[in-house]
Amino acid sequence: ALHGLSLAGGVDGRSVVGREPGVSALLGFDITRGGAPVQARLTGTFFDRETRDADTRFGGLGLDFKLVGRAGTLRPYLLAGAGVYRLREERPVALPASGAALAPLAADAARRLDDRTSMAFTTGGGVLVPLASVSAFAEARYTMFPGARLH
């Protein structure tokens, strides 16, 4: 089996609903067997996005499987995986009109916190570019948290 270390950083672009961009980081350990088309990657992931509506962070460990195209200069791949993540979202809570006089004192307390450990599923794809002794890759991933209502 061949092994490799993956290190990636990225920016989560604006979504179609106009959310603010966020930042992400991924550290992975790839496991490959010869020229097999299926590869495994153990990953550690961190994501952070702060917006006017909510501050969202998650981090955790996962296992991805990649289906990699045949050898060549560019090797496209699809990926799917699952993992356990710590999900934390903090968002403002509207104060009632009668509490307006207390608003300055309650500003810090007027936030709702959702902090939990959750199973998550990842899907995506990318392209691998083999170089002399390393490989470069570009990847797009989507992480789903069943039951979570992220803002």
Side-chain angles (χ1 to χ4, degrees):
L2 300 173
H3 313 296
L5 187 65
S6 300
L7 180 61
V11 175
D12 170 46
R14 269 185 199 275
S15 70
V16 293
V17 294
R19 292 187 175 160
E20 309 295 326
V23 295
S24 62
L26 177 136
L27 177 63
F29 184 72
D30 293 286
I31 303 162
T32 323
R33 193 146 200 44
V38 177
Q39 300 175 3
R41 181 194 298 156
L42 297 170
T43 61
T45 305
F46 173 76
F47 174 82
D48 182 23
R49 175 178 34 218
E50 295 181 19
T51 69
R52 183 185 69 224
D53 299 327
D55 297 341
T56 305
R57 289 181 185 84
F58 69 80
L61 299 173
L63 177 62
D64 296 336
F65 290 96
K66 300 187 303 184
L67 180 60
V68 182
R70 298 191 183 272
T73 305
L74 297 176
R75 299 184 64 196
Y77 61 87
L78 298 174
L79 69 89
V84 177
Y85 295 85
R86 184 73 176 176
L87 172 64
R88 178 182 173 98
E89 183 176 65
E90 194 174 343
R91 57 189 174 278
V93 175
L95 292 174
S98 62
L102 301 175
L105 299 174
D108 289 336
R111 298 187 66 80
R112 180 167 179 230
L113 179 64
D114 182 8
D115 190 1
R116 62 187 159 136
T117 300
S118 175
M119 184 78 174
F121 302 96
T122 301
T123 185
V127 63
L128 182 67
V129 183
L131 303 171
S133 60
V134 298
S135 294
F137 69 95
E139 185 173 279
R141 318 168 57 86
Y142 181 73
T143 304
M144 298 162 278
F145 294 90
R149 298 187 67 197
L150 298 178
H151 291 82

